[in-house]
Amino acid sequence: MAAKLNVETLQSVFQTRPDILAGIQKAADTPARVGLFNDIASFVYERIATASNHGSTQDDGPAAKRRRVDIAQVQPSQQTQSNGSAAGAAVSVDAAASEQVLLEIKDISASAPQRKKYDVCFTKNFLYASLSGSSTPVQGIVYPWKEIEHIFYLPVPEKSTVQHNYVVLPRSSYLPTRTAKPAAGAAPASPSALEPFVFTVPGAAPKPGSIGGASAKTAEAVSDSYSTLFHWALATSLKSAGNHSCSIVASDPKLFHSVTRQAHRPTEKAVHVKAFRGSKDGYLFFLPTGILWGFKKPIVFLPLDRIVALSFTSVLARTFNIVVELDMDETGNVEKEIEFGMLDKEDFEGINANYVQRHGLADKSMAEKRKAKRELAENNKNTGDDDANGTGEGEVDKEQTAGMTQLEKAQWEAEQQLQDEEDEDEEDYDPGSEGESEGSGTSSEEEDDDDDDDADGGEDDDEDDLDGEGMDED
């Protein structure tokens, strides 16, 4: 009698990984392999059951199955907070799998978090990847729309044909973090379940039959190219999910481009520069909202409002390094400084004049303004519900900021806050509190005030130059 796979045990062990189960079934083409796979499944099943008996009072069975029950009992607020853990990832996979697929774009090449071809699926609340022919989301590549903070659209360097990468960055996935060793006896910190999602699209139109889902007919009108299709799908999904703070940011050669001629596409200006992070080679993109290094893991994005200062080091005849000082977060886990090395000396002036000086990154005093904008934007997010509950102030702000970019909105809000503070100072001011004898110093004080006004005016001009740069959401 021919040996058969113990399907029941295999399904219990690999119930969250149907791709592994399918691979085993395909590879089990000889009695020896069938026996080997059965032995492996039995061993893993027993280890899971043994570990569960020591750590839980529930009935015997695979730990993964009991863990699903425990997760289902967690309150929604607790599920959101645990999004970076394995339990939170399992919740996301189950929730995403239960939703109707509105749009499915097949055979898309991904390079992070895994290098493989996937079908990219859009639902009401999730963006996720699935294996071809499978409706099950791949664990670790499931992104709630509300958790996505940045999306970038960047040309793939050193390719003879035009290709672009979409870089999807969920919260807490892109800043360089410290790798502190856990204390003796303490369990190591669990890694975040959400890593950046990077996938590549060609410049051509989607192939016939590669678009599916409930909204496939609607998508046909914007399917002139993969880029127009994904831009429409991403922007529409973010808006529908209530994520209005995230928009697609594209590189713009008018804002920054390298002077180095591209060998593969010589007529096209390169919007990247080669740079090493430690021993890893990659590419730096100087974008309207910050500096991105990719596309090798871990991908790093340094938002402008997190940068304290940028300095040039090891400036040699042909290369130089840049060191970016970052604002520490509340947890203290973000690295204070990050260095990128071996940049081509020919790009020194372009980076310094067109990016560092334009954004005031060489001046630490400007960092406080960038930090204030970030905190103001975060506070506005937190108070958005209060405005919706009848204060009326939110509606006025929306009307006055309609059509503005995110940076312009932040600048407008900072100016409004400054105006409110000045109004409060004028209300608190008592002219009778100053003595008659202080009048002799009026002339010199007025001159000092005039000098301060001139200095403040210059800073405002710099801010206008910064915020006046357009953000291409091609």
Side-chain angles (χ1 to χ4, degrees), residues 249-263:
V249 176
S251 55
D252 187 353
K254 295 179 181 178
L255 297 179
F256 174 82
H257 69 270
S258 173
V259 298
T260 304
R261 186 183 179 90
Q262 294 193 92

Side-chain angles (χ1 to χ4, degrees), residues 351-362:
I351 295 173
N352 185 42
N354 298 332
Y355 200 82
V356 176
Q357 298 300 328
R358 173 184 290 170
H359 294 293
L361 301 182

Side-chain angles (χ1 to χ4, degrees), residues 3-195:
K4 293 184 178 180
L5 284 174
N6 190 341
V7 178
E8 183 178 355
T9 303
L10 286 167
Q11 288 179 341
S12 298
V13 172
F14 298 110
Q15 61 178 326
T16 60
R17 293 297 303 272
D19 54 325
I20 295 179
L21 183 60
I24 291 175
Q25 292 173 336
K26 185 177 180 180
D29 53 2
T30 65
R33 291 183 177 182
V34 169
L36 176 61
F37 289 140
N38 286 340
D39 291 342
I40 293 174
S42 299
F43 175 75
V44 175
Y45 185 93
E46 291 172 1
R47 291 294 298 270
I48 292 174
T50 302
S52 301
N53 288 335
H54 287 292
S56 173
T57 58
Q58 300 183 22
D59 296 335
D60 292 343
K65 187 174 292 184
R66 288 199 301 277
R67 186 166 61 249
R68 291 284 183 90
V69 176
D70 295 337
I71 292 169
Q73 298 171 353
V74 178
Q75 297 298 322
S77 59
Q78 294 174 323
Q79 291 178 0
T80 303
Q81 294 174 358
S82 65
N83 227 3
S85 65
V91 171
S92 296
V93 169
D94 291 342
S98 66
E99 293 189 357
Q100 179 188 23
V101 176
L102 302 177
L103 183 66
E104 180 184 36
I105 307 175
K106 301 177 181 179
D107 296 329
I108 300 299
S109 297
S111 55
Q114 301 175 22
R115 186 175 294 276
K116 199 169 186 179
K117 273 199 173 184
Y118 293 108
D119 295 343
V120 178
C121 300
F122 296 74
T123 70
K124 180 181 178 180
N125 295 301
F126 295 93
L127 169 72
Y128 67 84
S130 66
L131 294 171
S132 180
S134 171
S135 59
T136 305
V138 177
Q139 187 164 338
I141 318 182
V142 181
Y143 303 90
W145 289 114
K146 291 187 177 181
E147 289 298 314
I148 296 176
E149 194 165 4
H150 301 280
I151 298 179
F152 299 105
Y153 175 71
L154 306 172
V156 181
E158 300 182 0
K159 296 288 185 181
S160 57
T161 59
V162 177
Q163 299 178 16
H164 284 81
N165 276 341
Y166 281 92
V167 183
V168 179
L169 301 180
R171 302 184 192 282
S172 306
S173 69
Y174 51 84
L175 286 171
T177 56
R178 300 173 184 269
T179 54
K181 295 181 179 180
S190 58
S192 172
L194 291 176
E195 297 183 37

Side-chain angles (χ1 to χ4, degrees), residues 368-395:
E368 291 301 320
K369 290 188 175 182
R370 294 191 290 270
K371 182 178 179 181
K373 287 182 181 180
R374 183 185 78 241
E375 293 176 345
L376 184 60
E378 292 173 351
N379 291 336
N380 287 339
K381 291 179 185 178
N382 295 334
T383 58
D385 293 338
D386 295 336
D387 291 339
N389 290 333
T391 62
E393 296 178 0
E395 294 299 325

